[in-house]
Structure formats: C-alpha cells, structure tokens
Amino acid sequence: MTRVVDARLTVDGTTRELPLERSTVGNDGVSVSTLLKDTGLVTVDPGFMNTASCESAITYIDGDAGILRYRGYPIEQLAEHSTFLEVAYLLIHGELPSEDLLAALNNRVARHMHVHEGIKTFLGAFPRDAHPMAVLSGATSALSTFYPESVGRGEHETELATVQLLAKTATVIAYLQRRVTGGDLIEPRKDGNYVDEFMRIAFSGPDGELDIDPTIRKALDLLLILHADHEQNCSTSTVRIVGSSQANIYASVSAGIGALSGPLHGGANEAALSMFDGIKESGDTVEQFVAKVKDKAEGARLMGFGHRVYKSYDPRGAVVKDVANKVLSELGGNDETFQMAQRLEEIALSDEYFIERKLYPNVDFYTGLLYSAMGFPRQMFTPLFALGRMPGWIAHYREMMADPRTKIGRPRQIYTGEVERDYTPLAER
Ligand code: ACO
C-alpha cells in the first residue's frame, strides 16, 4: 500500500492541509477534527464506512487479504496453539501470559464464577421463552448493582470488573442454556478450567457431573478464540461510545450485547440456521433461494455472507468450516444441513452477483451447525458469540479509558427538518 504524503482540502478557494495519522500497518487516516471550527463544514459518513473512530493497538484486519491478527499474532496461529483464556489475557493486557500469569487468571476467574442469589432470581423473573440475548444484556448491566466494589476507574476496580465479567457472564450464559432446556441451576465449582466449567454448568445433569467430550471442548474453545475480538465492529463501537460517557463497564458491555443481538451482526449465526431450515421447509432448491436473494424483491439476504471489512474469505469462517467438517463427521451432526450450506456457498461464490460485490461466507455461516452439534439450541448461538467477544469488549473499554485523549462520542448531523416555525395553539390545529 502506498503511503499518502499529505492531504489537502479546498473549500471556497482556500486550501487547508489536513494532518495525517499514521498506522503501524494498514490504512493511515486524515484527521478532520478541526474542520468544523476552521470551515463550518462537517464530514458525512453514514454507517461509518470510512471513519476511524479511535486509535487502537488491539486487533488488525486486512479485509482484502483476509488477515486477522490479535496484538500482532495471526488468528490461525492462535487457533492452533492457544486457549481462550490465554487469548483473553493477550487481548486485554497486550502480551501472551507466562504460565504463572495464565494459571493465576484461570484461578481468579474460577473463584468468581458463582453469582449472587439475586442474579438467579433476576434470571428466573424473565419469561421462559425470553430470548437469552435480552436476558444476558439485562443481567450484565445488573452485575454492577450486585458487585458495586468492582465499579470505578481505579486499577483495582478495573481488574476486578474484568474478572467478574469473564467469570459471571459465562455462568449466566450457562444458566440461560439450562433455562432454555428446562434444567435447574447448579453451582459453579471454584477450581475448574474455564471452558470445562462453562460446559459442566450448561450441560450436566442434576448431580452436577459431566463427562466432557474432548472434541466438543476443543471446538468450543476454538470458537471462543475466533470470536474474541474484531476491532471496531458494531458492538465494540457501541461499548466504546457508551463507555465514552464514563458509564461503567457493565453498562457499556450490556449495550454491546444489545448491538450484537441484531441479525446483521452476531444474530446472523441464529439467522443463518433459520435460513437453512426455511429453505428446506419452503421446498425451494438452493438455486431458487439464491435467485430470490439476488432478486431482492422479498428482502432476503444470504445470512452469514458478506462483511463490511472482509472483501475476501473471512479467515475465521475458513477455520470454522474446517472444524465443522471434522466435528460433524466425528460426532454426527446435521450433515444434510451442512451439505446444503456448502452447496449454497459453492453457488454463491461462482455467481456474478456475489463475485461483483465481493460477498464471501463470514464467521457466522457455519458456526450454528457446530453449536447445534454440541447440543446448543438456536437461541443460544448469539449468547455464545457474546461469551467469545467478552475479552474484546473489555480490552477496548480499558484501552479507551486509559487514553487521556478520549472524548465523549458525539457525532454531528446534517439537519434536514423544518427551519423554524411558530407554535400553533392546540385549539387551532
Ligand atoms: N446477501 C445478499 N446480498 C448482500 C449480502 C448478503 N448477505 N450482503 C450484502 N449484500 C449486497 C447488498 O444488497 C448490496 O447490494 P447493492 O450494491 O446492489 O445495493 C451490497 O451487497 C453491499 O451491501 P451493504 O449492505 O451495503 O454492505 P455493508 O457493508 O453495509 O453490510 C453486512 C455488511 C451487514 C454484513 C451485510 O453483508 C449483510 O447484511 N450480511 C448478512 C448478515 C450477516 O451475515 N451478518 C454478519 C456479519 S459478521 C459479524 O457481524 C460477526
């Protein structure tokens, strides 16, 4: 990529130099912060197609080359060699942990996995068929009220809130799985391994014992790693903008969970599986469904396809597809749906509509099939995404709060309403 040497903007015949912000790799930026003061103009960029909202040293994506790196480490290497808590430490603290530091994090998280009785009552107050993302968002915000000692900007509070969020949201999500499947809540143990303990709380019978299938454990750990961060996506930007008002981390992450729930973002994993089933129920062939998507008349999209940043194969999607292949053949999952998904991918990738728009499978296209094979019902797919994304949200909140240049997030607008008019009394309207 060639580097821009300078940037100038001419307004009404006057040319101004705009300062450049340099990246270590990837796109440099043109700073427009003083433009309003200097010219009276604002920049317009709906959907933030071309706006860098911050500097960040956490995650790098090259969407054209299909590259994703956490703190400089390629996702493929982390997926092969690392574990989820290790990746969480890396994202939050910037370096891979030593063995001692990792053991300390695991112990600390394990000790905090129990939740206050009030949280259990709170979870029980929602309708049984409430979508778990709504409950998770509410419960995450409520954590600040049960653990006020972890609310604050000091180092102690920040570390405590980090551990509380990793630990207690895992328990809440496991409890949500139990609620969806009709089981009673069981107590976390204080010395478990994070992923094992999550699975035990989610899946064990009333005696609290679970024989964990190593294939499932490994696949779940991997999925959590793949979801752990993705720079300034919709939910992370939400966490940052809420946190920029100095709202506490629980309120900020709760808002991020709301953003994640949408079908154009994390909710796409649930939507993709519903789409596969919808195709089967409709009796359409995959070719007919793809034709409907291209026609746009029915508003159908190929869920789990396309991405704002990736204009090539999502590197996470490639890993997930590979794992889905292995896990489904080992555990026996919904092979018919997997084959249909592969056929959809094949047709789309050779179709001019998708080629022209550079639409490829994203991480959500195959994950639902894997979660299903592991025994999670469809409503739990997006909460599992949230479990994986937790370290990313925490890392971004912390990075932003530690940066003295952080300002409250407050976009401008182009006003298009009435200019000014006089109030008409009610009787005269
Ligand atoms: N199926 C069919 N057409 C699509 C799809 C799709 N999945 N995605 C984009 N397009 C088309 C659009 O209709 C548009 O066509 P046009 O140029 O004829 O108007 C063009 O491709 C560009 O699409 P935009 O919506 O403008 O792209 P944007 O970057 O705003 O949206 C998004 C990205 C939201 C991910 C989109 O691709 C989409 O809706 N995908 C399906 C939902 C999904 O899988 N979301 C998960 C994303 S990954 C994640 O959040 C974890």
Side-chain angles (χ1 to χ4, degrees):
M1 193 183 300
T2 44
R3 290 232 140 171
V4 176
V5 183
D6 63 10
R8 286 156 214 257
L9 180 74
T10 303
V11 180
D12 289 340
T14 305
T15 299
R16 287 169 185 79
E17 214 160 282
L18 296 173
L20 291 175
E21 298 230 0
R22 297 296 185 190
S23 61
T24 50
V25 58
N27 306 111
D28 294 329
V30 177
S31 175
V32 293
S33 296
T34 60
L35 200 62
L36 177 63
K37 187 160 65 71
D38 296 347
T39 66
L41 288 174
V42 294
T43 50
V44 184
D45 185 22
F48 308 120
M49 303 283 287
N50 198 56
T51 295
S53 60
C54 60
E55 281 182 16
S56 180
I58 301 172
T59 288
Y60 172 69
I61 303 175
D62 180 333
D64 295 322
I67 289 172
L68 169 63
R69 298 182 197 130
Y70 297 162
R71 299 282 188 184
Y73 294 101
I75 192 67
E76 294 81 4
Q77 288 184 25
L78 294 168
E80 191 177 345
H81 303 295
S82 194
T83 59
F84 176 60
L85 265 199
E86 188 182 30
V87 165
Y89 186 102
L90 170 70
L91 287 167
I92 294 167
H93 298 288
E95 298 296 337
L96 286 168
S98 65
E99 228 171 295
D100 285 351
L101 285 171
L102 182 56
L105 177 64
N106 197 43
N107 291 341
R108 212 168 165 213
V109 168
R111 276 187 281 112
H112 281 88
M113 281 186 86
H114 60 278
V115 297
H116 194 286
E117 283 304 313
I119 291 278
K120 295 183 197 165
T121 310
F122 181 80
L123 297 180
F126 286 87
R128 271 264 170 207
D129 59 354
H131 196 287
M133 282 300 274
V135 185
L136 178 63
S137 178
T140 303
S141 187
L143 286 174
S144 70
T145 66
F146 290 99
Y147 305 102
E149 67 285 4
S150 64
V151 175
R153 296 186 61 185
E155 198 184 323
H156 170 74
E157 289 98 329
T158 304
E159 289 304 329
L160 187 55
T162 296
V163 171
Q164 300 270 38
L165 270 170
L166 290 170
K168 296 194 194 303
T169 54
T171 304
V172 167
I173 294 167
Y175 280 170
L176 290 171
Q177 160 78 10
R178 291 189 87 83
R179 272 182 60 76
V180 169
T181 52
D184 290 334
L185 308 188
I186 61 162
E187 282 306 305
R189 290 174 182 154
K190 292 194 172 166
D191 54 0
N193 161 287
Y194 186 74
V195 172
D196 287 8
E197 195 49 17
F198 171 75
M199 287 178 64
R200 192 187 67 81
I201 306 171
F203 288 115
S204 67
D207 65 351
E209 296 303 325
L210 180 72
D211 203 4
I212 295 172
D213 184 318
T215 305
I216 296 186
R217 178 207 285 126
K218 195 165 183 328
L220 183 58
D221 197 86
L222 177 75
L223 285 172
L224 296 176
I225 292 173
L226 296 176
H227 286 88
D229 193 42
H230 215 231
E231 49 114 314
Q232 312 309 321
N233 58 85
C234 179
S235 56
T236 303
S237 295
T238 301
V239 170
R240 277 186 177 260
I241 204 157
V242 174
S244 76
S245 74
Q246 297 188 0
N248 70 54
I249 192 166
Y250 299 102
S252 306
V253 169
S254 163
I257 292 169
L260 188 75
S261 69
L264 297 191
H265 189 16
N269 53 14
E270 185 181 338
L273 207 71
S274 300
M275 175 185 75
F276 299 144
D277 285 350
I279 298 171
K280 278 191 248 164
E281 281 158 23
S282 71
D284 281 349
T285 61
V286 283
E287 287 81 358
Q288 283 166 324
F289 179 74
V290 169
K292 279 184 188 165
V293 167
K294 287 161 55 179
D295 181 40
K296 293 187 182 188
E298 293 176 30
R301 282 198 164 197
L302 192 46
M303 301 311 285
F305 246 74
H307 198 274
R308 172 63 61 77
V309 183
Y310 291 121
K311 299 303 166 200
S312 61
Y313 214 104
D314 180 337
R316 304 165 301 171
V319 179
V320 172
K321 185 180 174 188
D322 193 36
V323 175
N325 208 352
K326 286 186 195 131
V327 169
L328 294 181
S329 53
E330 220 169 290
L331 299 180
N334 195 335
D335 214 33
E336 192 198 330
T337 311
F338 185 48
Q339 275 166 18
M340 175 202 263
Q342 289 182 95
R343 179 85 189 110
L344 262 176
E345 177 188 339
E346 198 186 319
I347 293 170
L349 292 186
S350 56
D351 188 295
E352 207 40 51
Y353 174 97
F354 295 90
I355 295 170
E356 214 175 80
R357 292 170 180 77
K358 300 189 175 168
L359 302 170
Y360 293 83
N362 60 52
V363 68
D364 287 327
F365 195 64
Y366 289 106
T367 45
L369 285 158
L370 261 173
Y371 293 138
S372 273
M374 292 173 182
F376 291 104
R378 192 166 306 183
Q379 318 84 292
M380 290 304 298
F381 296 175
T382 317
L384 289 163
F385 189 146
L387 181 65
R389 186 53 55 87
M390 202 58 64
W393 289 329
I394 295 168
H396 281 274
Y397 181 92
R398 289 177 58 145
E399 183 181 66
M400 179 187 68
M401 294 312 249
D403 185 346
R405 295 166 303 176
T406 295
K407 284 182 167 297
I408 187 167
R410 204 311 183 180
R412 298 281 176 160
Q413 64 169 7
I414 303 293
Y415 177 69
T416 58
E418 298 284 348
V419 175
E420 186 180 5
R421 42 186 173 166
D422 289 324
Y423 178 79
T424 316
L426 193 56
E428 291 172 29
R429 273 178 256 152

